[in-house]
């Protein structure tokens, strides 16, 4: 642990560096009204912090910049308890999962001015909620399947002969009895459609409807395997590009997305916000960046994660608060959405 004076100096260096992106010198700190000791003492404390690995001394400047370890100490010990900013508000009521995840990522990126990554709940958590079989015309049937994740799948089928209205009505009742509550993609979902006790007419009709259920859930995880990314252009802004090493490698990882999912998995194991700074990230493409992430979902399990990614020189209080706010609101959203799962 640092002394109170060292913590004050470190906090001031982190704050000034975040604002300007330039090394912070003793004269700059001496002009701060919160720093009540002289330039020689400031220089001594800066040297001590550098020896501890919390500050770095660029050879082109007399000032210091915080290292990854310095930012880590700031986050762990000096982070302001109260952020003077309104909480992030999401408008997710009555939105389907795909749209809700997209709105969340766009809102989070806009609020923080960072790249935002949101992972959707896995398909395995969703179930069939309701099935409709509608006879539109004598030979045309529309099947609508509504899932607990808010997905609506529908398909219009044309038969060579007119469909018995009684058969269509029976199939609706039968499918709701057999499939309601069954997980998407589960073997049982397909097995429930194979009932040897049915007559040939009923079995043949259900076989014709099978394609609707075979593809169910394939789109509910969203593009790229359930990963929603907004604000990638923010990392490529001219004022930030010099701070983000290996930018091309990062963009490739965002395209593959599997690596991002692996990194964000850590957020599902902890109850609060996870902050990975610079070299703490296991993926080389992220080692010049900071990842701030949190899991969301009902208390008993996390269903997905929200995160922001940006330069190590970021506004940590704002990023952490925004991620925490969004995770809390998404948790409430999915608790209502999956109440019957």
């Amino acid at each position: 642990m640092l002394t109170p004076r060292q913590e004050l100096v470190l906090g001031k260096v982190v704050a000034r560096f975040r604002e300007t992106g330039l090394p912070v010198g003793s004269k700059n700190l001496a002009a701060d009204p919160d720093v009540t000791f002289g330039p020689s003492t400031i220089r001594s404390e800066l040297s001590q912090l550098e020896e501890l690995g919390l500050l770095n001394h660029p050879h082109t400047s007399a000032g210091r910049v915080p290292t990854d370890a310095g930012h880590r100490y700031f986050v762990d010990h000096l982070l302001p308890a109260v952020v003077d900013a309104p909480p992030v508000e999401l408008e997710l009521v009555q939105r389907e999962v795909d749209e809700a995840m997209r709105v969340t990522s766009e809102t989070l990126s806009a609020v923080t001015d960072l790249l935002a990554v949101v992972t959707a709940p896995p398909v395995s958590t969703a179930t069939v909620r309701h099935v409709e079989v509608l006879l539109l015309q004598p030979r045309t049937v529309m099947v609508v399947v509504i899932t607990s994740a808010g997905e609506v799948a529908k398909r219009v089928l044309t038969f060579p002969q007119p469909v018995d209205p009684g058969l269509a009505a029976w199939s609706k009742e039968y499918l709701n009895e057999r499939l309601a509550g069954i997980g998407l993609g589960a073997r049982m979902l397909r097995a429930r459609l194979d009932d040897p006790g049915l007559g040939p007419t009923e079995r043949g009709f259900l076989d014709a409807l099978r394609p609707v259920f075979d593809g169910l859930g394939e789109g509910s995880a969203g593009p790229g395997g359930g990963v929603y990314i907004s604000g990638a252009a923010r990392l490529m802004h001219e004022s930030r590009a010099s701070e983000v090493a290996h930018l091309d490698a990062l963009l490739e990882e965002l395209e593959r997305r599997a690596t991002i999912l692996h990194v964000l998995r850590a957020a599902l194991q902890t109850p609060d916000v996870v902050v990975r700074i610079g070299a703490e990230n296991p993926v080389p493409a992220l080692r010049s960046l900071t990842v701030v992430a949190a899991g969301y979902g009902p208390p008993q399990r996390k269903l997905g994660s929200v995160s922001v990614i940006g330069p190590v020189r970021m506004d940590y209080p704002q990023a952490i608060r925004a991620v925490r706010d969004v995770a809390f609101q998404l948790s409430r959203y999915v608790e209502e959405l999956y109440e019957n799962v």
Side-chain angles (χ1 to χ4, degrees), residues 67 134 227 314:
T67 62
L134 305 172
V227 182
M314 71 163 58

Side-chain angles (χ1 to χ4, degrees), residues 127-142:
T127 64
V128 175
R129 177 168 286 176
H130 184 71
V131 181
E132 286 284 350
V133 181
L134 305 172
L135 188 59
L136 302 181
Q137 296 180 8
R139 295 191 300 114
T140 305
V141 172
M142 181 170 69

Side-chain angles (χ1 to χ4, degrees), residues 67-247:
T67 62
D68 289 353
H71 280 107
R72 166 54 60 191
Y73 192 96
F74 175 83
V75 169
D76 289 346
H77 302 288
L78 306 180
L79 202 65
V82 178
V83 180
D84 186 18
V88 180
E89 295 291 343
L90 296 175
E91 298 181 0
L92 302 180
V93 178
Q94 297 182 346
R95 292 182 184 270
E96 294 186 12
V97 171
D98 181 75
E99 186 182 3
M101 298 300 111
R102 187 173 293 109
V103 167
T104 299
S105 64
E106 291 173 353
T107 301
L108 189 56
S109 177
V111 168
T112 62
D113 197 31
L114 300 169
L115 182 143
V117 183
V118 179
T119 65
V123 173
S124 60
T125 63
T127 64
V128 175
R129 177 168 286 176
H130 184 71
V131 181
E132 286 284 350
V133 181
L134 305 172
L135 188 59
L136 302 181
Q137 296 180 8
R139 295 191 300 114
T140 305
V141 172
M142 181 170 69
V143 182
V144 180
V145 184
I146 303 172
T147 76
S148 64
E151 179 188 4
V152 178
K154 64 181 180 180
R155 181 170 296 192
V156 177
L157 305 170
T158 301
F159 292 80
Q161 301 295 331
V163 176
D164 182 353
L167 181 62
W170 166 84
S171 67
K172 170 187 173 180
E173 183 178 350
Y174 178 84
L175 290 171
N176 278 293
E177 289 178 354
R178 298 281 289 179
L179 302 183
I182 301 300
L184 308 188
R187 293 180 180 179
M188 190 175 295
L189 180 63
R190 292 182 287 274
R192 288 290 181 99
L193 296 175
D194 295 324
D195 187 348
L198 296 176
T201 300
E202 289 79 6
R203 293 191 66 182
F205 189 66
L206 292 180
D207 284 342
L209 305 186
R210 184 184 294 273
V212 181
F213 301 95
D214 287 344
L216 193 63
E218 291 179 356
S220 63
V227 182
Y228 295 76
I229 300 175
S230 296
R234 300 178 193 277
L235 288 184
M236 294 180 284
H237 192 276
E238 182 179 356
S239 63
R240 286 178 167 173
S242 61
E243 299 179 80
V244 183
H246 316 300
L247 186 57

Side-chain angles (χ1 to χ4, degrees), residues 48-63:
Q48 289 292 322
L49 292 170
E50 185 176 354
E51 290 181 9
L52 292 171
L54 302 179
L55 297 179
N56 189 27
H57 194 171
H59 67 279
T60 57
S61 170

Side-chain angles (χ1 to χ4, degrees), residues 248-299:
D248 290 340
L250 171 63
L251 296 179
E252 290 179 6
E253 296 295 355
L254 293 178
E255 287 293 327
R256 285 197 288 266
R257 302 196 178 190
T259 302
I260 300 300
L261 283 171
H262 175 74
V263 171
L264 298 181
R265 195 168 294 128
L268 304 181
Q269 312 302 321
T270 58
D272 200 7
V273 177
V274 174
V275 181
R276 295 285 180 266
I277 301 173
E280 296 174 354
N281 289 298
V283 180
L286 296 176
R287 288 177 184 163
S288 62
L289 300 166
T290 286
V291 178
V292 181
Y296 67 85

